[in-house]
PDB file of all heavy atoms in Angstrom:
ATOM      1  N   GLU A 964       8.199  -6.245  13.100  1.00 98.00           N
ATOM      2  CA  GLU A 964       8.003  -4.850  13.539  1.00 98.00           C
ATOM      3  C   GLU A 964       8.828  -3.974  12.624  1.00 98.00           C
ATOM      4  O   GLU A 964      10.019  -4.183  12.450  1.00 98.00           O
ATOM      5  CB  GLU A 964       8.425  -4.667  14.991  1.00 98.00           C
ATOM      6  CG  GLU A 964       7.490  -5.377  15.980  1.00 98.00           C
ATOM      7  CD  GLU A 964       7.786  -5.095  17.439  1.00 98.00           C
ATOM      8  OE1 GLU A 964       8.964  -4.864  17.770  1.00 98.00           O
ATOM      9  OE2 GLU A 964       6.844  -5.140  18.241  1.00 98.00           O
ATOM     10  N   ASN A 965       8.157  -2.988  11.967  1.00 98.00           N
ATOM     11  CA  ASN A 965       8.827  -2.046  11.110  1.00 98.00           C
ATOM     12  C   ASN A 965       8.587  -0.648  11.598  1.00 98.00           C
ATOM     13  O   ASN A 965       7.427  -0.257  11.835  1.00 98.00           O
ATOM     14  CB  ASN A 965       8.270  -2.169   9.681  1.00 98.00           C
ATOM     15  CG  ASN A 965       8.475  -3.517   9.050  1.00 98.00           C
ATOM     16  OD1 ASN A 965       7.607  -4.400   9.210  1.00 98.00           O
ATOM     17  ND2 ASN A 965       9.549  -3.770   8.407  1.00 98.00           N
ATOM     18  N   VAL A 966       9.658   0.147  11.698  1.00 98.00           N
ATOM     19  CA  VAL A 966       9.469   1.534  12.064  1.00 98.00           C
ATOM     20  C   VAL A 966       8.769   2.239  10.903  1.00 98.00           C
ATOM     21  O   VAL A 966       9.111   2.009   9.738  1.00 98.00           O
ATOM     22  CB  VAL A 966      10.803   2.204  12.368  1.00 98.00           C
ATOM     23  CG1 VAL A 966      10.605   3.692  12.635  1.00 98.00           C
ATOM     24  CG2 VAL A 966      11.438   1.568  13.589  1.00 98.00           C
ATOM     25  N   CYS A 967       7.774   3.062  11.218  1.00 98.00           N
ATOM     26  CA  CYS A 967       6.974   3.707  10.191  1.00 98.00           C
ATOM     27  C   CYS A 967       6.418   5.020  10.790  1.00 98.00           C
ATOM     28  O   CYS A 967       5.783   4.974  11.828  1.00 98.00           O
ATOM     29  CB  CYS A 967       5.793   2.742   9.830  1.00 98.00           C
ATOM     30  SG  CYS A 967       4.769   3.292   8.469  1.00 98.00           S
ATOM     31  N   PHE A 968       6.756   6.108  10.131  1.00 98.00           N
ATOM     32  CA  PHE A 968       6.332   7.440  10.663  1.00 98.00           C
ATOM     33  C   PHE A 968       6.674   7.587  12.129  1.00 98.00           C
ATOM     34  O   PHE A 968       5.874   8.032  12.928  1.00 98.00           O
ATOM     35  CB  PHE A 968       4.851   7.696  10.422  1.00 98.00           C
ATOM     36  CG  PHE A 968       4.497   7.895   8.960  1.00 98.00           C
ATOM     37  CD1 PHE A 968       4.060   6.875   8.158  1.00 98.00           C
ATOM     38  CD2 PHE A 968       4.691   9.167   8.369  1.00 98.00           C
ATOM     39  CE1 PHE A 968       3.736   7.079   6.821  1.00 98.00           C
ATOM     40  CE2 PHE A 968       4.385   9.376   7.067  1.00 98.00           C
ATOM     41  CZ  PHE A 968       3.901   8.342   6.259  1.00 98.00           C
ATOM     42  N   ASP A 969       7.889   7.169  12.462  1.00 98.00           N
ATOM     43  CA  ASP A 969       8.415   7.284  13.809  1.00 98.00           C
ATOM     44  C   ASP A 969       7.659   6.470  14.859  1.00 98.00           C
ATOM     45  O   ASP A 969       7.946   6.503  16.049  1.00 98.00           O
ATOM     46  CB  ASP A 969       8.467   8.746  14.270  1.00 98.00           C
ATOM     47  CG  ASP A 969       9.472   9.000  15.373  1.00 98.00           C
ATOM     48  OD1 ASP A 969      10.454   8.176  15.457  1.00 98.00           O
ATOM     49  OD2 ASP A 969       9.311   9.939  16.118  1.00 98.00           O
ATOM     50  N   GLY A 970       6.688   5.670  14.431  1.00 98.00           N
ATOM     51  CA  GLY A 970       6.046   4.667  15.298  1.00 98.00           C
ATOM     52  C   GLY A 970       6.431   3.275  14.839  1.00 98.00           C
ATOM     53  O   GLY A 970       7.449   3.108  14.110  1.00 98.00           O
ATOM     54  N   VAL A 971       5.668   2.268  15.216  1.00 98.00           N
ATOM     55  CA  VAL A 971       5.997   0.893  14.847  1.00 98.00           C
ATOM     56  C   VAL A 971       4.765   0.180  14.257  1.00 98.00           C
ATOM     57  O   VAL A 971       3.697   0.146  14.888  1.00 98.00           O
ATOM     58  CB  VAL A 971       6.463   0.110  16.102  1.00 98.00           C
ATOM     59  CG1 VAL A 971       6.729  -1.399  15.714  1.00 98.00           C
ATOM     60  CG2 VAL A 971       7.724   0.706  16.687  1.00 98.00           C
ATOM     61  N   GLN A 972       4.972  -0.334  13.051  1.00 98.00           N
ATOM     62  CA  GLN A 972       3.932  -1.227  12.454  1.00 98.00           C
ATOM     63  C   GLN A 972       4.336  -2.640  12.796  1.00 98.00           C
ATOM     64  O   GLN A 972       5.325  -3.158  12.260  1.00 98.00           O
ATOM     65  CB  GLN A 972       3.876  -1.020  10.951  1.00 98.00           C
ATOM     66  CG  GLN A 972       2.915  -1.951  10.237  1.00 98.00           C
ATOM     67  CD  GLN A 972       1.474  -1.737  10.725  1.00 98.00           C
ATOM     68  OE1 GLN A 972       0.899  -0.698  10.571  1.00 98.00           O
ATOM     69  NE2 GLN A 972       0.885  -2.795  11.364  1.00 98.00           N
ATOM     70  N   GLY A 973       3.555  -3.256  13.681  1.00 98.00           N
ATOM     71  CA  GLY A 973       3.846  -4.612  14.115  1.00 98.00           C
ATOM     72  C   GLY A 973       2.847  -5.598  13.554  1.00 98.00           C
ATOM     73  O   GLY A 973       1.735  -5.233  13.177  1.00 98.00           O
ATOM     74  N   VAL A 974       3.283  -6.865  13.500  1.00 98.00           N
ATOM     75  CA  VAL A 974       2.390  -7.957  13.201  1.00 98.00           C
ATOM     76  C   VAL A 974       2.657  -9.033  14.275  1.00 98.00           C
ATOM     77  O   VAL A 974       3.811  -9.372  14.591  1.00 98.00           O
ATOM     78  CB  VAL A 974       2.672  -8.581  11.819  1.00 98.00           C
ATOM     79  CG1 VAL A 974       1.791  -9.821  11.580  1.00 98.00           C
ATOM     80  CG2 VAL A 974       2.449  -7.518  10.732  1.00 98.00           C
ATOM     81  N   TYR A 975       1.557  -9.529  14.860  1.00 98.00           N
ATOM     82  CA  TYR A 975       1.684 -10.438  15.995  1.00 98.00           C
ATOM     83  C   TYR A 975       0.725 -11.628  15.830  1.00 98.00           C
ATOM     84  O   TYR A 975      -0.331 -11.473  15.199  1.00 98.00           O
ATOM     85  CB  TYR A 975       1.296  -9.695  17.297  1.00 98.00           C
ATOM     86  CG  TYR A 975       2.067  -8.403  17.455  1.00 98.00           C
ATOM     87  CD1 TYR A 975       1.510  -7.193  16.959  1.00 98.00           C
ATOM     88  CD2 TYR A 975       3.339  -8.375  17.981  1.00 98.00           C
ATOM     89  CE1 TYR A 975       2.244  -6.012  17.054  1.00 98.00           C
ATOM     90  CE2 TYR A 975       4.094  -7.180  18.084  1.00 98.00           C
ATOM     91  CZ  TYR A 975       3.515  -6.002  17.618  1.00 98.00           C
ATOM     92  OH  TYR A 975       4.223  -4.843  17.697  1.00 98.00           O
ATOM     93  N   THR A 976       1.127 -12.769  16.356  1.00 98.00           N
ATOM     94  CA  THR A 976       0.260 -13.924  16.399  1.00 98.00           C
ATOM     95  C   THR A 976      -0.008 -14.339  17.836  1.00 98.00           C
ATOM     96  O   THR A 976       0.844 -14.092  18.700  1.00 98.00           O
ATOM     97  CB  THR A 976       0.844 -15.167  15.676  1.00 98.00           C
ATOM     98  OG1 THR A 976       2.071 -15.528  16.287  1.00 98.00           O
ATOM     99  CG2 THR A 976       1.079 -14.882  14.201  1.00 98.00           C
ATOM    100  N   HIS A 977      -1.132 -14.911  18.051  1.00 98.00           N
ATOM    101  CA  HIS A 977      -1.459 -15.366  19.430  1.00 98.00           C
ATOM    102  C   HIS A 977      -2.478 -16.522  19.325  1.00 98.00           C
ATOM    103  O   HIS A 977      -3.135 -16.656  18.330  1.00 98.00           O
ATOM    104  CB  HIS A 977      -2.017 -14.233  20.232  1.00 98.00           C
ATOM    105  CG  HIS A 977      -3.392 -13.760  19.772  1.00 98.00           C
ATOM    106  ND1 HIS A 977      -4.538 -13.977  20.440  1.00 98.00           N
ATOM    107  CD2 HIS A 977      -3.751 -13.118  18.635  1.00 98.00           C
ATOM    108  CE1 HIS A 977      -5.574 -13.481  19.760  1.00 98.00           C
ATOM    109  NE2 HIS A 977      -5.124 -12.924  18.675  1.00 98.00           N
ATOM    110  N   ARG A 978      -2.545 -17.304  20.368  1.00 98.00           N
ATOM    111  CA  ARG A 978      -3.560 -18.316  20.436  1.00 98.00           C
ATOM    112  C   ARG A 978      -4.874 -17.683  20.776  1.00 98.00           C
ATOM    113  O   ARG A 978      -5.021 -16.964  21.833  1.00 98.00           O
ATOM    114  CB  ARG A 978      -3.189 -19.325  21.532  1.00 98.00           C
ATOM    115  CG  ARG A 978      -4.166 -20.471  21.694  1.00 98.00           C
ATOM    116  CD  ARG A 978      -4.125 -21.390  20.473  1.00 98.00           C
ATOM    117  NE  ARG A 978      -5.259 -22.347  20.495  1.00 98.00           N
ATOM    118  CZ  ARG A 978      -5.479 -23.190  19.510  1.00 98.00           C
ATOM    119  NH1 ARG A 978      -4.676 -23.264  18.448  1.00 98.00           N
ATOM    120  NH2 ARG A 978      -6.501 -24.034  19.558  1.00 98.00           N
ATOM    121  N   SER A 979      -5.883 -17.869  19.948  1.00 98.00           N
ATOM    122  CA  SER A 979      -7.208 -17.339  20.232  1.00 98.00           C
ATOM    123  C   SER A 979      -8.047 -18.457  20.846  1.00 98.00           C
ATOM    124  O   SER A 979      -8.286 -19.483  20.225  1.00 98.00           O
ATOM    125  CB  SER A 979      -7.872 -16.879  18.944  1.00 98.00           C
ATOM    126  OG  SER A 979      -9.267 -16.700  19.150  1.00 98.00           O
ATOM    127  N   GLU A 980      -8.513 -18.212  22.063  1.00 98.00           N
ATOM    128  CA  GLU A 980      -9.414 -19.184  22.735  1.00 98.00           C
ATOM    129  C   GLU A 980     -10.778 -19.111  22.043  1.00 98.00           C
ATOM    130  O   GLU A 980     -11.441 -20.133  21.851  1.00 98.00           O
ATOM    131  CB  GLU A 980      -9.548 -18.894  24.221  1.00 98.00           C
ATOM    132  CG  GLU A 980      -8.224 -18.951  24.987  1.00 98.00           C
ATOM    133  CD  GLU A 980      -7.540 -20.315  24.849  1.00 98.00           C
ATOM    134  OE1 GLU A 980      -8.230 -21.329  24.775  1.00 98.00           O
ATOM    135  OE2 GLU A 980      -6.288 -20.299  24.779  1.00 98.00           O
ATOM    136  N   VAL A 981     -11.176 -17.934  21.683  1.00 98.00           N
ATOM    137  CA  VAL A 981     -12.486 -17.730  21.092  1.00 98.00           C
ATOM    138  C   VAL A 981     -12.584 -18.471  19.737  1.00 98.00           C
ATOM    139  O   VAL A 981     -13.588 -19.141  19.451  1.00 98.00           O
ATOM    140  CB  VAL A 981     -12.787 -16.234  20.928  1.00 98.00           C
ATOM    141  CG1 VAL A 981     -13.879 -15.965  19.919  1.00 98.00           C
ATOM    142  CG2 VAL A 981     -13.071 -15.581  22.247  1.00 98.00           C
ATOM    143  N   CYS A 982     -11.589 -18.325  18.885  1.00 98.00           N
ATOM    144  CA  CYS A 982     -11.602 -18.945  17.588  1.00 98.00           C
ATOM    145  C   CYS A 982     -10.949 -20.360  17.562  1.00 98.00           C
ATOM    146  O   CYS A 982     -10.969 -21.023  16.547  1.00 98.00           O
ATOM    147  CB  CYS A 982     -10.982 -18.059  16.535  1.00 98.00           C
ATOM    148  SG  CYS A 982     -11.812 -16.500  16.233  1.00 98.00           S
ATOM    149  N   ALA A 983     -10.384 -20.718  18.667  1.00 98.00           N
ATOM    150  CA  ALA A 983      -9.736 -22.067  18.797  1.00 98.00           C
ATOM    151  C   ALA A 983      -8.730 -22.272  17.682  1.00 98.00           C
ATOM    152  O   ALA A 983      -8.684 -23.337  17.085  1.00 98.00           O
ATOM    153  CB  ALA A 983     -10.814 -23.149  18.793  1.00 98.00           C
ATOM    154  N   CYS A 984      -7.897 -21.256  17.434  1.00 98.00           N
ATOM    155  CA  CYS A 984      -6.818 -21.342  16.451  1.00 98.00           C
ATOM    156  C   CYS A 984      -5.866 -20.222  16.704  1.00 98.00           C
ATOM    157  O   CYS A 984      -6.095 -19.335  17.501  1.00 98.00           O
ATOM    158  CB  CYS A 984      -7.358 -21.336  15.018  1.00 98.00           C
ATOM    159  SG  CYS A 984      -8.087 -19.707  14.585  1.00 98.00           S
ATOM    160  N   ASP A 985      -4.757 -20.278  16.037  1.00 98.00           N
ATOM    161  CA  ASP A 985      -3.805 -19.154  16.087  1.00 98.00           C
ATOM    162  C   ASP A 985      -4.327 -18.018  15.224  1.00 98.00           C
ATOM    163  O   ASP A 985      -4.773 -18.273  14.086  1.00 98.00           O
ATOM    164  CB  ASP A 985      -2.418 -19.542  15.622  1.00 98.00           C
ATOM    165  CG  ASP A 985      -1.711 -20.440  16.634  1.00 98.00           C
ATOM    166  OD1 ASP A 985      -2.183 -20.488  17.827  1.00 98.00           O
ATOM    167  OD2 ASP A 985      -0.715 -21.099  16.277  1.00 98.00           O
ATOM    168  N   MET A 986      -4.239 -16.805  15.675  1.00 98.00           N
ATOM    169  CA  MET A 986      -4.695 -15.627  14.908  1.00 98.00           C
ATOM    170  C   MET A 986      -3.558 -14.611  14.775  1.00 98.00           C
ATOM    171  O   MET A 986      -2.753 -14.482  15.680  1.00 98.00           O
ATOM    172  CB  MET A 986      -5.896 -14.988  15.597  1.00 98.00           C
ATOM    173  CG  MET A 986      -7.155 -15.848  15.596  1.00 98.00           C
ATOM    174  SD  MET A 986      -7.886 -16.088  13.932  1.00 98.00           S
ATOM    175  CE  MET A 986      -8.715 -14.483  13.713  1.00 98.00           C
ATOM    176  N   THR A 987      -3.603 -13.886  13.684  1.00 98.00           N
ATOM    177  CA  THR A 987      -2.574 -12.887  13.396  1.00 98.00           C
ATOM    178  C   THR A 987      -3.287 -11.527  13.258  1.00 98.00           C
ATOM    179  O   THR A 987      -4.338 -11.441  12.646  1.00 98.00           O
ATOM    180  CB  THR A 987      -1.854 -13.250  12.053  1.00 98.00           C
ATOM    181  OG1 THR A 987      -1.245 -14.544  12.248  1.00 98.00           O
ATOM    182  CG2 THR A 987      -0.764 -12.247  11.762  1.00 98.00           C
ATOM    183  N   PHE A 988      -2.659 -10.487  13.771  1.00 98.00           N
ATOM    184  CA  PHE A 988      -3.166  -9.140  13.578  1.00 98.00           C
ATOM    185  C   PHE A 988      -2.081  -8.154  13.410  1.00 98.00           C
ATOM    186  O   PHE A 988      -0.909  -8.391  13.782  1.00 98.00           O
ATOM    187  CB  PHE A 988      -4.085  -8.717  14.777  1.00 98.00           C
ATOM    188  CG  PHE A 988      -3.360  -8.615  16.059  1.00 98.00           C
ATOM    189  CD1 PHE A 988      -2.855  -7.363  16.501  1.00 98.00           C
ATOM    190  CD2 PHE A 988      -3.144  -9.699  16.885  1.00 98.00           C
ATOM    191  CE1 PHE A 988      -2.131  -7.254  17.713  1.00 98.00           C
ATOM    192  CE2 PHE A 988      -2.488  -9.624  18.076  1.00 98.00           C
ATOM    193  CZ  PHE A 988      -1.962  -8.385  18.499  1.00 98.00           C
ATOM    194  N   GLY A 989      -2.385  -7.041  12.760  1.00 98.00           N
ATOM    195  CA  GLY A 989      -1.445  -5.913  12.658  1.00 98.00           C
ATOM    196  C   GLY A 989      -1.833  -4.843  13.653  1.00 98.00           C
ATOM    197  O   GLY A 989      -3.019  -4.627  13.927  1.00 98.00           O
ATOM    198  N   LEU A 990      -0.829  -4.187  14.171  1.00 98.00           N
ATOM    199  CA  LEU A 990      -1.053  -3.084  15.074  1.00 98.00           C
ATOM    200  C   LEU A 990      -0.058  -1.952  14.763  1.00 98.00           C
ATOM    201  O   LEU A 990       1.164  -2.194  14.815  1.00 98.00           O
ATOM    202  CB  LEU A 990      -0.874  -3.503  16.559  1.00 98.00           C
ATOM    203  CG  LEU A 990      -0.949  -2.403  17.607  1.00 98.00           C
ATOM    204  CD1 LEU A 990      -2.364  -1.784  17.682  1.00 98.00           C
ATOM    205  CD2 LEU A 990      -0.505  -2.913  18.977  1.00 98.00           C
ATOM    206  N   TYR A 991      -0.545  -0.781  14.456  1.00 98.00           N
ATOM    207  CA  TYR A 991       0.315   0.372  14.322  1.00 98.00           C
ATOM    208  C   TYR A 991       0.251   1.209  15.552  1.00 98.00           C
ATOM    209  O   TYR A 991      -0.819   1.650  15.956  1.00 98.00           O
ATOM    210  CB  TYR A 991      -0.069   1.237  13.105  1.00 98.00           C
ATOM    211  CG  TYR A 991       0.845   2.440  13.017  1.00 98.00           C
ATOM    212  CD1 TYR A 991       2.181   2.315  12.697  1.00 98.00           C
ATOM    213  CD2 TYR A 991       0.334   3.712  13.316  1.00 98.00           C
ATOM    214  CE1 TYR A 991       3.035   3.436  12.663  1.00 98.00           C
ATOM    215  CE2 TYR A 991       1.194   4.823  13.293  1.00 98.00           C
ATOM    216  CZ  TYR A 991       2.528   4.677  12.963  1.00 98.00           C
ATOM    217  OH  TYR A 991       3.366   5.765  12.956  1.00 98.00           O
ATOM    218  N   LEU A 992       1.409   1.364  16.189  1.00 98.00           N
ATOM    219  CA  LEU A 992       1.523   2.244  17.376  1.00 98.00           C
ATOM    220  C   LEU A 992       2.211   3.531  16.932  1.00 98.00           C
ATOM    221  O   LEU A 992       3.337   3.477  16.490  1.00 98.00           O
ATOM    222  CB  LEU A 992       2.289   1.590  18.497  1.00 98.00           C
ATOM    223  CG  LEU A 992       1.553   0.486  19.295  1.00 98.00           C
ATOM    224  CD1 LEU A 992       2.457  -0.097  20.351  1.00 98.00           C
ATOM    225  CD2 LEU A 992       0.260   1.029  19.898  1.00 98.00           C
ATOM    226  N   PRO A 993       1.550   4.652  17.101  1.00 98.00           N
ATOM    227  CA  PRO A 993       2.151   5.915  16.729  1.00 98.00           C
ATOM    228  C   PRO A 993       3.252   6.320  17.694  1.00 98.00           C
ATOM    229  O   PRO A 993       3.379   5.749  18.766  1.00 98.00           O
ATOM    230  CB  PRO A 993       0.981   6.920  16.762  1.00 98.00           C
ATOM    231  CG  PRO A 993       0.156   6.376  17.882  1.00 98.00           C
ATOM    232  CD  PRO A 993       0.251   4.863  17.765  1.00 98.00           C
ATOM    233  N   PRO A 994       4.068   7.316  17.330  1.00 98.00           N
ATOM    234  CA  PRO A 994       5.176   7.669  18.275  1.00 98.00           C
ATOM    235  C   PRO A 994       4.673   8.106  19.643  1.00 98.00           C
ATOM    236  O   PRO A 994       5.406   7.915  20.630  1.00 98.00           O
ATOM    237  CB  PRO A 994       5.858   8.845  17.516  1.00 98.00           C
ATOM    238  CG  PRO A 994       4.964   9.244  16.423  1.00 98.00           C
ATOM    239  CD  PRO A 994       4.131   8.018  16.083  1.00 98.00           C
ATOM    240  N   GLN A 995       3.501   8.645  19.712  1.00 98.00           N
ATOM    241  CA  GLN A 995       2.941   9.081  21.021  1.00 98.00           C
ATOM    242  C   GLN A 995       2.804   7.945  21.984  1.00 98.00           C
ATOM    243  O   GLN A 995       2.778   8.152  23.229  1.00 98.00           O
ATOM    244  CB  GLN A 995       1.556   9.751  20.846  1.00 98.00           C
ATOM    245  CG  GLN A 995       1.574  11.037  20.039  1.00 98.00           C
ATOM    246  CD  GLN A 995       1.504  10.833  18.510  1.00 98.00           C
ATOM    247  OE1 GLN A 995       1.773   9.750  18.038  1.00 98.00           O
ATOM    248  NE2 GLN A 995       1.178  11.898  17.792  1.00 98.00           N
ATOM    249  N   ALA A 996       2.733   6.690  21.508  1.00 98.00           N
ATOM    250  CA  ALA A 996       2.579   5.538  22.392  1.00 98.00           C
ATOM    251  C   ALA A 996       3.836   5.300  23.227  1.00 98.00           C
ATOM    252  O   ALA A 996       3.789   4.536  24.219  1.00 98.00           O
ATOM    253  CB  ALA A 996       2.244   4.285  21.584  1.00 98.00           C
ATOM    254  N   LYS A 997       4.965   5.912  22.809  1.00 97.00           N
ATOM    255  CA  LYS A 997       6.163   5.752  23.649  1.00 97.00           C
ATOM    256  C   LYS A 997       5.998   6.462  25.002  1.00 97.00           C
ATOM    257  O   LYS A 997       6.702   6.180  25.948  1.00 97.00           O
ATOM    258  CB  LYS A 997       7.365   6.366  22.889  1.00 97.00           C
ATOM    259  CG  LYS A 997       7.702   5.650  21.584  1.00 97.00           C
ATOM    260  CD  LYS A 997       8.697   6.433  20.752  1.00 97.00           C
ATOM    261  CE  LYS A 997       8.831   5.847  19.323  1.00 97.00           C
ATOM    262  NZ  LYS A 997       9.568   6.748  18.389  1.00 97.00           N
ATOM    263  N   SER A 998       5.062   7.431  25.049  1.00 97.00           N
ATOM    264  CA  SER A 998       4.922   8.235  26.240  1.00 97.00           C
ATOM    265  C   SER A 998       3.729   7.800  27.102  1.00 97.00           C
ATOM    266  O   SER A 998       3.547   8.255  28.242  1.00 97.00           O
ATOM    267  CB  SER A 998       4.710   9.709  25.914  1.00 97.00           C
ATOM    268  OG  SER A 998       5.672  10.126  24.934  1.00 97.00           O
ATOM    269  N   GLY A 999       2.897   6.889  26.538  1.00 97.00           N
ATOM    270  CA  GLY A 999       1.730   6.470  27.323  1.00 97.00           C
ATOM    271  C   GLY A 999       0.652   5.961  26.398  1.00 97.00           C
ATOM    272  O   GLY A 999       0.759   6.056  25.183  1.00 97.00           O
ATOM    273  N   PRO A1000      -0.418   5.401  27.012  1.00 98.00           N
ATOM    274  CA  PRO A1000      -1.440   4.789  26.188  1.00 98.00           C
ATOM    275  C   PRO A1000      -2.105   5.777  25.229  1.00 98.00           C
ATOM    276  O   PRO A1000      -2.379   6.949  25.595  1.00 98.00           O
ATOM    277  CB  PRO A1000      -2.477   4.291  27.238  1.00 98.00           C
ATOM    278  CG  PRO A1000      -1.673   4.134  28.497  1.00 98.00           C
ATOM    279  CD  PRO A1000      -0.648   5.240  28.457  1.00 98.00           C
TER     280      PRO A1000
END
Side-chain angles (χ1 to χ4, degrees):
Chain A
E964 290 186 331
N965 300 89
V966 176
C967 186
F968 289 96
D969 203 24
V971 176
Q972 177 61 62
V974 176
Y975 309 92
T976 60
H977 67 109
R978 181 69 191 177
S979 166
E980 299 303 325
V981 162
C982 294
C984 66
D985 288 344
M986 292 291 283
T987 301
F988 65 93
L990 174 67
Y991 177 69
L992 284 179
Q995 294 86 341
K997 298 167 190 169
S998 315

